[in-house]
Amino acid sequence: MKSLISHYGRRGQRSMYDLILDAIDELPKGCWIWPHRKDEQGYGRISIEGEEKRVHVAMYELFVGKIRKGNHIHHKCENPACFNPEHLEQVTPKEHKERHKTLAGK
């Protein structure tokens, strides 16, 4: 993971890498809950080089890979504040909608 620091640089500020690692506080089910700013839906928010992003999206891009255009990042744990890359998966909008329908029916 240390090689990720060079991707974001230091520029006299704490890197995104430092901020994210400091925020990890694993819960019993393995969720990493973002302790900083969240949006109205409960998703963690972070500013990366002036661009606002949801933390789980930034984590997916950092640790898993590129998100195909139009795809969504789904929380397998169903916790919007979680940013554990093991709990995230890339899905199509149709798949995402179906998963949420299935969960709502439980």
Side-chain angles (χ1 to χ4, degrees):
M1 281 210 269
K2 293 215 183 280
S3 64
L4 295 172
I5 293 172
S6 62
H7 179 70
Y8 288 95
R10 291 274 181 188
R11 285 179 262 190
Q13 300 177 18
R14 294 185 69 215
S15 69
M16 184 178 90
Y17 170 84
D18 292 330
L19 182 63
I20 289 171
L21 287 184
D22 288 351
I24 294 172
D25 185 16
E26 192 166 342
L27 296 179
K29 290 185 178 182
C31 288
W32 300 351
I33 304 304
W34 186 247
H36 304 292
R37 191 167 43 100
K38 296 180 182 89
D39 63 21
E40 56 280 349
Q41 288 92 27
Y43 294 99
R45 302 290 298 182
I46 193 168
S47 181
I48 303 168
E49 296 181 358
E51 180 186 352
E52 282 286 315
K53 282 193 160 204
R54 286 182 167 173
V55 174
H56 71 286
V57 171
M59 287 296 286
Y60 188 91
E61 291 171 334
L62 257 171
F63 293 101
V64 180
K66 186 175 167 119
I67 300 168
R68 286 183 295 284
K69 187 175 181 173
N71 277 0
H72 296 185
I73 300 302
H74 175 70
H75 285 87
K76 295 185 277 188
C77 60
E78 292 304 315
N79 187 338
C82 180
F83 63 103
N84 182 341
E86 292 180 355
H87 290 195
L88 307 172
E89 65 182 332
Q90 186 171 176
V91 295
T92 66
K94 182 179 177 183
E95 288 171 320
H96 207 197
K97 187 175 181 179
E98 288 301 316
R99 290 183 190 192
H100 284 281
K101 274 188 198 175
T102 301
L103 291 166
K106 285 186 178 180

